[in-house]
Amino acid sequence: MPTARVTADPSFVVGPINRRLFGSFIEHMGRAVYTGIYEPEHPTADEEGFRQDVIELVKELGVTGIRYPGGNFVSGFHWRDGIGPKDQRPRRLSLAWRATETNQVGLHEFASWVQKVDGELMYAVNLGTADTRDSLQVVEYANIPKGSTLADERIANGRTSPFGIKMWYLGNEMDGPWQLGHSPADDYAKKASRTAKALRQLDPQVELVASGSSHPTMPTFPYWDRVVLEHTYDDVDYISCHGYYEEKNGDLGSFLAAPVKMDRYLDTVIATADYVKAAKRSEKTLNISFDEWNVWYLGDNLRQFPRQADRFYRTDEIEGNDWPEAPRLAEDVYSVADAVVVGGLLISLLRHADRVTSASMSMLVNVIAPITTEPGGPAWRQTTYYPFAVTSRLAAGVALDVRVESGQYSTEELGSVPLVDAVATHDAEGGRAAVFLVNRSLAEEITVTVNVGALGNLSLLESHMISDPDVYARNTKDVPDRVRLKSNPTASLANGVLTVTLPPVSWTAVALSKPKA
Ligand code: AHR
């Protein structure tokens, strides 16, 4: 049986783990909002119409910041459509997703929901069809305590205290030809710079994200990111990354190596940001907001042309109503292999914790999501729910720069990559540590020894694993618990060495803690 060795040492720190790394994303797309989080007729709905079964699952998932309201949707959205008395809100056509938006959930409702799930609201402004003035107005409405017409309008609409939104995204995927208002890099960059300066003038507390490339396969990557940062470096706090991964042509080996792609993508964006830093002789280091990431069976063609998404992805009947409300869109059903990849992508994000200080798994409910609901029916956990929930709960303190010695395997897409991937986290003050591991071998178990002696006198607290003889097993409405988290019974700790055997195509997390006094 192949073996691997991992060494975790508290002296080799990547960086502190920002809780925002475990963020998520809700867009007005498909059934993410309507019949996802909001369904007034549902038996579990609360007084505001939010599904409490979903609230409970979101809380258990441990998400932190939640980006809203899009996505491609935001480039055609006017923030005012979602405020004021619900019965007077306009019905609009969402061009991005060819649907009718009823605006029954807007800023006030969503902020209230975010509070119910103990999250932080993060907001994207429209820099596609709208201009700097619109961004200024929504920030004034949301964040200025009182005394201006817009702030007082918010109060009249029932919210006395400001929403206090810190994180603002300057548009979405503006490099994409599918985006409403898509423009050349320097047009967007100038608009983003002007808008950022104006927003800071209004509210100096805001944190701002410039829209980076929408995927590393974009023909303008990383030129777009360089040009955007050349114009906005002094104005923004983050550049965004988006990355979706999928198994193509039955090539599971390459798919399992998706975190290697994420590593390379991040390394390129970091190098681009640091190039601009050097060119500007700047003291400031720019961070990354990886504000859309997940497994998504989108297909390369479709990624370039999301406006066609209804043709490919809608599973309900569209005849007779070409602009339906809340159509079933992109409701991917995830497998064990997908969950292993999600666990690996979280390892990659933690490995870059010094620079990736905010991230959003895209999305949260129904649309490419870890939680699925049935209108009027149940809500359940997809396979991908588990690695996210466990990593969010166990990864604390700092991420450690571990050394992994493992065999390699050959992939079509990425050449030779390691069979075992790992990261460790260490919370010295709290007396706890965690190790997250993936075995990418399609056929063989691998026994890994993790040298954790330097982390102090720790004992084994808990272990969790996603693994199944059928790597394509999935959870469905009828069998919602086909795939669950199991403990890894092989995990043992002796003399500062953690030993654990990883089944083929599996993800494992092991938590260690100081023995109780
Ligand atoms: O997350 C779904 C869509 O994917 C978003 O609207 C867009 O930003 C990305 O292309």
Side-chain angles (χ1 to χ4, degrees):
M1 181 200 307
T3 57
R5 285 200 320 170
V6 177
T7 306
D9 190 304
S11 315
F12 302 130
V13 171
V14 177
I17 299 162
N18 193 312
R19 286 296 302 158
R20 278 187 178 160
L21 214 58
F22 303 105
S24 189
F25 174 37
I26 290 273
E27 173 168 4
H28 283 255
M29 172 181 174
R31 298 196 305 117
V33 175
Y34 307 109
T35 73
I37 64 169
Y38 179 81
E39 192 181 341
E41 304 75 28
H42 194 270
T44 72
D46 66 13
E47 65 296 347
E48 291 182 273
F50 291 117
R51 288 182 62 148
Q52 296 185 73
D53 55 347
V54 175
I55 289 175
E56 287 316 310
L57 286 173
V58 173
K59 281 164 77 171
E60 184 189 315
L61 184 62
V63 297
T64 53
I66 305 180
R67 181 171 170 252
Y68 176 82
N72 296 339
F73 169 78
V74 82
S75 294
F77 175 63
H78 198 289
W79 67 274
R80 290 197 68 93
D81 290 349
I83 62 166
K86 282 188 175 185
D87 59 357
Q88 291 169 30
R89 293 188 192 167
R91 290 169 62 82
R92 302 276 190 218
L93 301 182
S94 163
L95 301 190
W97 304 115
R98 207 172 172 82
T100 297
E101 172 55 52
T102 62
N103 286 303
Q104 293 306 289
V105 171
L107 177 55
H108 288 256
E109 294 77 25
F110 193 72
S112 170
W113 182 80
V114 168
Q115 212 169 346
K116 291 174 202 250
V117 299
D118 306 324
E120 176 195 357
L121 171 56
M122 300 160 141
Y123 199 90
V125 295
N126 175 353
L127 287 191
T129 54
D131 61 13
T132 301
R133 182 182 295 269
D134 289 280
S135 303
L136 275 170
Q137 289 181 347
V138 62
V139 175
E140 182 177 331
Y141 182 89
N143 282 3
I144 298 300
K146 61 179 179 180
S148 78
T149 301
L150 282 168
D152 292 347
E153 188 180 357
R154 181 199 68 238
I155 294 168
N157 282 336
R159 174 78 187 209
T160 315
S161 55
F163 292 109
I165 304 171
K166 287 249 164 0
M167 190 86 154
W168 294 86
Y169 303 86
L170 301 170
N172 176 69
E173 294 192 349
M174 297 308 299
D175 64 320
W178 57 83
Q179 199 68 222
L180 283 169
H182 160 65
S183 49
D186 55 349
D187 283 5
Y188 165 71
K190 286 174 192 162
K191 189 173 183 180
S193 167
R194 283 196 299 273
T195 305
K197 285 187 175 76
L199 296 187
R200 282 200 198 287
Q201 226 171 307
L202 176 68
D203 179 356
Q205 306 298 318
V206 292
E207 294 174 50
L208 301 173
V209 187
S211 185
S213 289
S214 54
H215 202 270
T217 56
M218 294 300 289
T220 49
F221 176 77
Y223 159 85
W224 172 278
D225 308 71
R226 173 176 67 73
V227 173
V228 166
L229 288 181
E230 279 169 353
H231 287 274
T232 61
Y233 199 86
D234 297 332
D235 306 317
V236 301
D237 305 287
Y238 301 86
I239 177 106
S240 72
C241 287
H242 289 181
Y244 292 102
Y245 308 91
E246 66 192 295
E247 181 180 340
K248 288 181 205 149
N249 310 320
D251 182 0
L252 182 56
S254 295
F255 176 50
L256 291 168
V260 176
K261 280 192 194 168
M262 187 187 246
D263 286 342
R264 293 180 188 173
Y265 176 25
L266 279 169
D267 292 344
T268 306
V269 176
I270 290 167
T272 307
D274 290 350
Y275 161 78
V276 178
K277 174 183 179 174
K280 286 187 174 290
R281 315 288 189 262
S282 175
E283 291 294 312
K284 167 174 152 186
T285 299
L286 207 79
N287 285 330
I288 291 175
S289 161
F290 210 122
D291 42 59
E292 286 186 34
W293 68 267
N294 207 346
V295 172
W296 187 5
Y297 286 87
L298 183 62
D300 274 344
N301 293 339
L302 201 50
R303 182 173 297 117
Q304 313 268 334
F305 304 107
R307 282 185 202 154
Q308 304 304 319
D310 56 319
R311 309 253 166 81
F312 295 86
Y313 274 84
R314 210 173 268 169
T315 51
D316 57 349
E317 190 53 66
I318 61 169
E319 250 173 60
N321 183 5
D322 208 16
W323 298 88
E325 289 176 27
R328 290 183 187 262
L329 203 64
E331 299 197 1
D332 289 29
V333 181
Y334 292 114
S335 69
V336 167
D338 298 329
V340 171
V341 168
V342 162
L345 295 172
L346 285 159
I347 290 175
S348 170
L349 291 173
L350 286 167
R351 195 169 19 246
H352 292 89
D354 54 335
R355 299 298 287 274
V356 184
T357 53
S358 187
S360 300
M361 188 196 206
S362 170
M363 287 185 209
L364 186 52
V365 184
N366 288 335
V367 181
I368 37 173
I371 298 168
T372 309
T373 70
E374 202 42 52
W380 62 97
R381 301 169 188 82
Q382 292 232 34
T383 57
T384 51
Y385 183 97
Y386 295 107
F388 189 101
V390 172
T391 309
S392 174
R393 186 168 61 80
L394 297 184
V398 296
L400 297 180
D401 186 4
V402 297
R403 163 170 289 233
V404 182
E405 295 162 80
S406 104
Q408 305 259 327
Y409 72 109
S410 155
T411 65
E412 280 282 316
E413 281 189 51
L414 294 151
S416 181
V417 301
L419 282 163
V420 170
D421 195 9
V423 74
T425 62
H426 185 218
D427 173 9
E429 224 167 87
R432 59 195 190 126
V435 186
F436 303 91
L437 302 135
V438 163
N439 177 3
R440 297 177 179 134
S441 169
L442 303 188
E444 292 192 289
E445 288 186 345
I446 301 181
T447 294
V448 187
T449 50
V450 189
N451 194 336
V452 290
L455 301 181
N457 180 23
L458 298 174
S459 51
L460 205 152
L461 192 63
E462 51 188 281
S463 74
H464 304 281
M465 175 170 76
I466 289 286
S467 146
D468 197 282
D470 176 5
V471 297
Y472 294 109
R474 295 169 154 88
N475 293 338
T476 58
K477 182 180 157 222
D478 294 336
V479 195
D481 287 329
R482 166 65 184 82
V483 180
R484 304 168 83 144
L485 213 50
K486 321 174 199 176
S487 71
N488 186 321
T490 66
S492 67
L493 181 66
N495 306 319
V497 178
L498 166 70
T499 306
V500 60
T501 298
L502 312 176
V505 191
S506 67
W507 170 90
T508 290
V510 181
L512 310 168
S513 76
K514 253 192 206 154
K516 294 240 156 53

